[in-house]
Amino acid sequence: MAKKTYEKPTIIKVESSHSKAGVPMPKQKIRKKIGGVAIDEMVERFGSPLFIFDEKAIREKYRSAYEAFSSRYPNVQFGWSYKTNYLKAVCAVFHQEGAIAEVVSEFEYEKARELGIEGKDIIYNGPYKPYDSLVTAAKEGAKIHIDTFDEINDLEKVADELGFEIPVAIRLNMDTGIYPQWSRFGFNIESGQAMDAVKRIKAGGKLRLTGLHAHIGTFMLDANAYKVETTKMVRLMNEVEEKVGFTIEYIDVGGGFASKNHLRGIYQPPEVVVPTIDDYAEAITSALYENIRGNSYPKLYLETGRHLIDEAGYLVTSVVASKTLPDSRRSYIVDAGVNLLYTYFWYKFNIELTREVSGISEPAMINGPLCMNIDVIDESILLPRLRRGDKLVISPVGAYNVTQWMQFIRYRPRVLMVTEEGNVELIREREELSDIEKREILPDKLKLK
Amino acid sequence: MIIAVSGVNDTDNPGPGIGVARSLKEADSSIKTVGLSYDVQDPGNFMDFVIDKSYVLTYPSQGWEPIFNRLLYIKESYGLDAVIPTLDAELPSYIKYQDDLKEAGIKTFLPNLEQFELRSKENLGDISEALKISYPKTKKVFNIDQLKKAVNEIGFPCVVKGNYYKAYKVKSLPEAVYYFTEISNEWGFPILVQEIVNGDELNVIGAGDGKGNLLGLVAIKKMTTTHLGKIWNGVTIRHEKLLKVAEDFVAEYKWRGPFELECIVDEDNIILIEINPRFPAWVYFATGVGVNLPKRVLDVMFDKNSDMSGDYESGKMMVRYTYELITDIEKLSELATKGESNG
Amino acid sequence: MRIENLAVNKNGFAFDPTSGETFTLNETAKEIIEDLARGVEEKEIAKKLSEEYDVTQEEAMNDVLDFKEKLKLYGLLS
Ligand SMILES: Cc1ncc(COP(=O)(O)O)c(C=O)c1O
């Protein structure tokens, strides 16, 4: 006789702090596939944990963002923000779609070049650009966005060294009604510092100002902040052209559009609080049309990161153990921890199962494998009793995790991409001891064997 | 007709749901009411003389989809013609997705997103100007430094409040910091620091048809309140200027659906403190004096003619009291194990 | 030990008349409680579960121990 399906024993006290524990609600969220491919099969083939990216989702997101802007303002160009996710395969998808590269260090610059991106298609941002990297960037015709007066000096030296005038842009900061104001970067508009920088560049005679750049923050829930930003930038452009005589060819409004992630500390779900790409596009392009004088329309650059990649990334992790905590909550120990999920500091992730698990749900906590008390992926979630080996699918995790993850205690896992055609590609191999030991040097006198 | 209402937490900090359901049943005893509950222990789940059947829902913070699916399930298994959400936390979702509900054959009568944003305290200054009334001195703050500056400028006592929810009167900086942290942890930024204005707090309940017409208004004064500021005893008043402000508000913004205006009134000086884009918990008070707003809203939803007269008498009192209901634990058992009551 | 007093109804709702606490529980939990109340050994319960359901005796044993822990935390077992 076939045996009955096993449900682990569950008992939950009816109390108001867990008013819905035990109630057969909420229905457990299930995700069996990513990009059409069964998650269980991918784990079987490649092991657990796994980061998985969905190529089709990336392309669709990019296309709808591009469409939202180009339909309103045709002269637009996206620059893929490398820091958000600089896995080669991910960058290559964006470049194939038509995005140029936006980098903030010589490392990222080298990465873009290595991938085959020409200097002229690289936006070089950041508060510290080593001198040698400025020389290379200037030689290769990159778009250099100046952050400080010191950098103006450096670039003038580079111009002398190379013997030609270097086209540059300046990074701006301003009050857009958003807190915190990212005032650490670039030159402030309201104080007059930005105009001083423009005049300083003019007076030097070695650089030519061709662009204005700003990036007002990340995960911006108020589309109107971009209207304020764009308005201030265009007005500055008008002033610069009129008073200083530079011709501004482009305005780069930076990144910062939110993804559909649930920010901690915000009660409402993302679908309610996150503006649509059309809201952002409308705010920016309407400010352009309202403030541009004459009939030269500068190119609009965007450095959108998070919004384009976050929702296309998943982390699949498996339950390795479970226990009852002294406060009667259940703790699940899973094989991926917060060292892989830097964004857990800000987000309460969407957590799904790959199979329907029957039974009543109980309050649980999801802990990673690190021997650290802070290794908590979710502090309070209602889950039916899971068995060892059950998988949790954590999302959205496509932005900032595979760049800010840490090799701490454990090896970093494999990363897969499910292609548009439904093939599974390994895009980053699992780390092993030699990856980490390669850079270490043990002095002779400390050698033990 | 089957109508769902939320906010069936008829506790000492009551939601408006029971008042709405009672108003509907008194107007038309053939109406069946469904209670949408977030806690199995909600008193409304046990009050079968007002709520015919209860369902437990996931919290709005978990997203719209589970709530939407739950409503579809209710429609399929029990029937559902319209839903009247009454809680602040769920309104953003219902307003954003009112068209989905309509498509599914579930009616609502809610403001649009733009109207809904009016309640943001950041917008109250402009509204007050448009309605030619005053607005207290208010500072937007995002951090403790700004908070310190703002309370220094405004002086103690003052009010620390969230942009949408929560407001606390504070008498010292530590108190201000405490509530600043509490509100921002739960609701985010900005936090507002507002001067305390003198006068009587008067409230108006009303509803608009979305075309600029009123469906009725009642103004009241809270005579006694709980320690949370919830009305316990109250009295109807006829402050003509205040009623005019509410009328202007509906006409100016073509308000759609129920609302409550909280004002501080010092003789003829009216100060707008808050707009609640929903029925207040004391909605039955208006019904009791002849202005059954839930029924009127329902009539508009179903394109029925309804009495829209604004007449009511001043000097009618509402006295809230407590009462005990004795029932079998079987009812809790149904809710806790099935997520719905028998009905 | 209060599990003998626990009145479990058909829905999987349990009421402890001595403490006033209420609980929800599933079928497996109900079976284990009944066995524990009758004084059946842990090992024997695990064996029964593994014969009845698609679970190994090893996993079932862990679950019984974990479940007893939970009952203790709820004050249903001493
Ligand atoms: C200069 C610059 N551009 C673009 C971005 C990408 O931002 P986001 O991922 O929020 O779109 C960042 C992120 O910090 C940035 O610093």
Side-chain angles (χ1 to χ4, degrees):
Chain A
M1 200 184 75
K3 290 185 183 179
K4 289 194 270 181
T5 307
Y6 182 62
E7 236 178 54
K8 284 182 180 276
T10 319
I11 181 166
I12 299 142
K13 197 191 269 190
V14 179
E15 49 192 347
S16 58
S17 58
H18 294 303
S19 63
K20 280 189 279 287
V23 176
M25 301 244 340
K27 285 248 174 2
Q28 204 42 62
K29 289 183 275 186
I30 308 288
R31 176 180 302 273
K32 295 189 172 172
K33 291 178 175 184
I34 292 171
V37 179
I39 295 167
D40 289 345
E41 277 169 31
M42 289 191 268
V43 170
E44 194 148 311
R45 241 180 96 193
F46 294 97
S48 174
L50 275 181
F51 271 103
I52 303 175
F53 285 89
D54 179 347
E55 183 193 354
K56 186 152 173 264
I58 303 175
R59 291 190 190 271
E60 279 170 2
K61 198 82 184 178
Y62 180 88
R63 286 171 199 171
S64 75
Y66 185 79
E67 169 71 18
F69 279 89
S70 65
S71 62
R72 292 176 167 86
Y73 192 88
N75 195 11
V76 65
Q77 173 67 54
F78 279 79
W80 173 241
S81 156
Y82 265 47
K83 72 157 87 59
T84 310
N85 186 322
Y86 44 58
L87 287 171
K88 281 185 188 181
V90 168
C91 295
V93 171
F94 285 112
H95 293 316
Q96 278 186 351
E97 287 294 325
I100 61 170
E102 186 268 332
V103 305
V104 291
S105 68
E106 68 282 17
F107 158 68
E108 288 189 351
Y109 189 95
E110 284 164 20
K111 237 176 163 307
R113 293 286 292 120
E114 166 73 21
L115 200 57
I117 303 303
E118 287 182 52
K120 71 171 176 48
D121 291 328
I122 300 177
I123 295 171
Y124 190 13
N125 283 324
Y128 171 48
K129 307 181 189 78
Y131 187 83
D132 288 349
S133 74
L134 286 174
V135 174
T136 309
K139 242 193 252 170
E140 296 179 348
K143 291 174 178 53
I144 303 171
H145 292 179
I146 301 175
D147 212 89
T148 59
F149 283 105
D150 295 298
E151 207 165 83
I152 298 178
N153 295 345
D154 282 353
L155 274 167
E156 288 180 340
K157 242 197 264 168
V158 174
D160 283 342
E161 196 177 317
L162 297 179
F164 60 79
E165 186 186 60
I166 304 172
V168 296
I170 51 170
R171 165 102 180 234
L172 304 165
N173 70 68
M174 70 203 84
D175 180 6
T176 57
I178 288 298
Y179 180 81
Q181 192 178 326
W182 283 31
S183 51
R184 292 205 293 116
F185 305 102
F187 305 95
N188 184 262
I189 293 187
E190 290 89 0
S191 71
Q193 192 183 39
M195 205 54 195
D196 287 347
V198 176
K199 288 177 187 157
R200 165 68 188 80
I201 289 170
K202 182 76 180 177
K206 293 170 184 170
L207 310 176
R208 180 163 45 90
L209 187 73
T210 58
L212 298 176
H213 168 234
H215 170 74
I216 56 175
T218 190
F219 214 95
M220 310 293 288
L221 291 174
D222 183 8
N224 190 53
Y226 287 98
K227 178 138 192 164
V228 178
E229 179 201 16
T230 310
T231 299
K232 289 190 173 183
M233 290 178 78
V234 176
R235 288 191 180 156
L236 182 71
M237 172 183 89
N238 293 338
E239 199 184 333
V240 167
E241 295 195 334
E242 200 179 291
K243 293 196 183 145
V244 189
F246 284 128
T247 304
I248 301 301
E249 293 160 13
Y250 69 90
I251 285 192
D252 177 348
V253 297
F257 304 157
S259 60
K260 291 237 160 60
N261 226 322
H262 200 153
L263 218 50
R264 288 174 191 270
I266 288 200
Y267 181 84
Q268 292 295 337
E271 66 260 34
V272 169
V273 295
V274 173
T276 64
I277 192 69
D278 286 298
D279 295 335
Y280 291 122
E282 188 58 34
I284 291 168
T285 57
S286 67
L288 287 171
Y289 286 120
E290 283 162 25
N291 294 287
I292 288 171
R293 291 198 213 129
N295 46 17
S296 86
Y297 290 90
K299 191 170 208 114
L300 170 66
Y301 281 95
L302 292 144
E303 302 170 349
T304 311
R306 189 189 303 277
H307 173 84
L308 294 176
I309 190 68
D310 214 9
E311 293 146 55
Y314 302 83
L315 175 63
V316 180
T317 179
S318 307
V319 172
V320 294
S322 98
K323 66 170 69 163
T324 297
L325 299 176
D327 64 3
S328 88
R329 242 182 328 170
R330 178 153 308 279
S331 159
Y332 286 109
I333 298 148
V334 297
D335 58 11
V338 296
N339 58 321
L340 304 180
L341 283 176
Y342 192 79
T343 56
Y344 99 98
F345 283 110
W346 299 287
Y347 296 145
K348 186 164 168 64
F349 297 113
N350 184 28
I351 296 181
E352 298 163 302
L353 304 175
T354 62
R355 68 171 181 111
E356 279 96 15
V357 179
S358 67
I360 52 188
S361 42
E362 61 177 355
M365 178 177 194
I366 299 172
N367 296 112
L370 306 180
C371 211
M372 304 280 290
N373 206 35
I374 59 156
D375 196 7
V376 182
I377 291 173
D378 198 316
E379 208 155 17
S380 121
I381 179 171
L382 287 177
L383 284 174
R385 272 300 296 278
L386 304 179
R387 295 173 82 163
R388 241 186 146 176
D390 270 331
K391 289 158 215 102
L392 302 175
V393 186
I394 303 172
S395 66
V397 299
Y400 295 104
N401 288 309
V402 295
T403 49
Q404 296 189 75
W405 55 0
M406 269 182 277
Q407 187 278 307
F408 176 61
I409 301 180
R410 312 188 67 79
Y411 300 121
R412 283 174 289 196
R414 281 176 165 157
V415 183
L416 306 182
M417 181 180 277
V418 178
T419 67
E420 276 185 300
E421 299 76 28
N423 299 323
V424 180
E425 301 275 3
L426 178 64
I427 61 169
R428 194 179 197 270
E429 188 47 283
R430 174 196 300 123
E431 283 171 346
E432 54 187 30
L433 189 60
S434 64
D435 291 319
I436 296 127
E437 304 266 283
K438 198 156 60 185
R439 296 287 155 198
E440 280 193 53
I441 298 147
L442 186 65
D444 276 342
K445 70 167 211 167
L446 297 178
K447 286 197 171 129
L448 302 178
K449 59 180 182 192
Chain B
M1 198 151 37
I2 302 176
I3 313 298
V5 296
S6 63
V8 294
N9 49 324
D10 205 28
T11 59
D12 60 343
N13 181 11
I18 295 299
V20 171
R22 188 176 169 201
S23 300
L24 294 178
K25 279 204 171 283
E26 282 186 10
D28 178 353
S29 58
S30 74
I31 290 177
K32 289 229 176 277
T33 55
V34 166
L36 306 176
S37 163
Y38 294 101
D39 190 323
V40 290
Q41 302 271 16
D42 278 345
N45 296 338
F46 301 84
M47 298 164 71
D48 54 13
F49 48 95
V50 203
I51 299 292
D52 294 296
K53 185 161 165 80
S54 291
Y55 292 85
V56 181
L57 267 61
T58 50
Y59 291 117
S61 62
Q62 302 286 310
W64 171 246
E65 206 182 303
I67 293 186
F68 186 56
N69 288 337
R70 193 75 170 145
L71 293 173
L72 294 181
Y73 165 78
I74 297 171
K75 182 162 179 71
E76 224 164 79
S77 57
Y78 184 72
L80 183 60
D81 298 299
V83 51
I84 302 181
T86 65
L87 299 174
D88 287 326
E90 59 191 13
L91 283 168
S93 302
Y94 277 98
I95 288 173
K96 180 143 188 188
Y97 296 104
Q98 47 186 297
D99 289 344
D100 293 7
L101 286 169
K102 190 172 156 193
E103 240 167 71
I106 301 169
K107 289 182 195 285
T108 55
F109 200 69
L110 299 163
N112 61 32
L113 268 178
E114 233 164 272
Q115 292 169 327
F116 187 57
E117 264 316 298
L118 293 173
R119 85 208 186 285
S120 151
K121 309 237 163 44
E122 290 187 74
N123 291 327
L124 291 187
D126 292 343
I127 297 174
S128 304
E129 208 171 298
L131 301 177
K132 299 188 186 64
I133 55 176
S134 353
Y135 189 63
K137 189 166 174 183
T138 307
K139 295 257 157 209
K140 245 196 320 185
V141 298
F142 294 91
N143 57 33
I144 304 283
D145 276 346
Q146 292 172 347
L147 175 75
K148 280 184 191 161
K149 243 172 84 184
V151 293
N152 267 340
E153 215 175 299
I154 288 171
F156 291 111
C158 59
V159 180
V160 173
K161 48 167 72 173
N163 198 20
Y164 299 113
Y165 315 118
K166 297 272 164 91
Y168 297 99
K169 183 170 169 175
V170 301
K171 297 189 204 71
S172 66
L173 186 60
E175 253 188 325
V177 170
Y178 177 83
Y179 288 116
F180 171 89
T181 315
E182 183 183 300
I183 301 169
S184 61
N185 279 348
E186 192 174 1
W187 298 106
F189 294 102
I191 298 294
L192 297 122
V193 179
Q194 197 168 64
E195 80 176 310
I196 292 197
V197 283
N198 294 320
D200 291 327
E201 186 187 329
L202 302 180
N203 301 285
V204 186
I205 183 178
D209 70 352
K211 298 178 190 131
N213 305 309
L214 268 176
L215 303 179
L217 284 181
V218 173
I220 62 142
K221 157 122 183 100
K222 297 178 180 177
M223 301 166 100
T224 60
T225 61
T226 66
H227 71 286
L228 287 171
K230 305 293 158 186
I231 184 168
W232 205 250
N233 285 3
V235 61
T236 56
I237 55 166
R238 290 211 67 104
H239 188 295
E240 295 310 327
K241 186 167 173 199
L242 180 61
L243 292 171
K244 180 72 173 46
V245 166
E247 203 181 317
D248 290 349
F249 167 71
V250 168
E252 170 86 23
Y253 298 102
K254 302 205 168 22
W255 187 266
R256 188 167 188 268
F259 66 87
E260 178 194 25
L261 301 183
E262 292 182 21
C263 299
I264 301 286
V265 181
D266 189 7
E267 293 190 10
D268 257 4
N269 186 24
I270 297 177
I271 297 167
L272 182 61
I273 299 295
E274 218 161 308
I275 300 171
N276 292 318
R278 50 162 174 79
F279 286 119
W282 50 273
V283 47
Y284 184 78
F285 192 1
T287 302
V289 299
V291 182
N292 189 333
L293 289 166
K295 180 61 170 56
R296 291 180 185 189
V297 163
L298 201 66
D299 286 343
V300 179
M301 270 192 222
F302 290 91
D303 297 317
K304 276 193 228 157
N305 288 327
S306 177
D307 166 24
M308 302 295 169
S309 80
D311 272 359
Y312 67 92
E313 271 178 57
S314 63
K316 288 282 184 189
M317 267 186 80
M318 174 182 100
V319 180
R320 198 170 259 170
Y321 64 108
T322 56
Y323 193 73
E324 291 75 22
L325 178 158
I326 314 303
T327 186
D328 200 87
I329 201 161
E330 201 44 39
K331 218 156 185 163
L332 180 65
S333 152
E334 292 292 324
L335 284 158
T337 56
K338 296 185 180 152
E340 61 191 89
S341 66
N342 282 334
Chain C
M1 192 149 102
R2 302 205 314 252
I3 47 171
E4 304 91 338
N5 303 332
L6 218 53
V8 185
N9 76 7
K10 61 179 190 322
N11 297 336
F13 182 81
F15 174 59
D16 177 353
T18 54
S19 70
E21 305 278 19
T22 50
F23 304 90
T24 54
L25 43 83
N26 64 358
E27 193 53 38
T28 322
K30 200 171 145 190
E31 282 178 39
I32 300 177
I33 284 179
E34 281 163 6
D35 283 344
L36 287 173
R38 283 193 291 118
V40 182
E41 290 289 322
E42 293 153 4
K43 236 178 115 179
E44 192 53 33
I45 300 176
K47 187 155 167 273
K48 269 179 60 184
L49 288 172
S50 67
E51 282 160 8
E52 191 183 349
Y53 297 101
D54 64 344
V55 62
T56 63
Q57 194 171 332
E58 207 181 11
E59 181 180 346
M61 185 66 185
N62 276 354
D63 290 345
V64 172
L65 293 177
D66 182 273
F67 186 65
K68 279 184 73 182
E69 179 69 27
K70 188 95 166 197
L71 294 178
K72 281 184 202 156
L73 288 168
Y74 282 156
L76 293 171
L77 262 189
S78 43

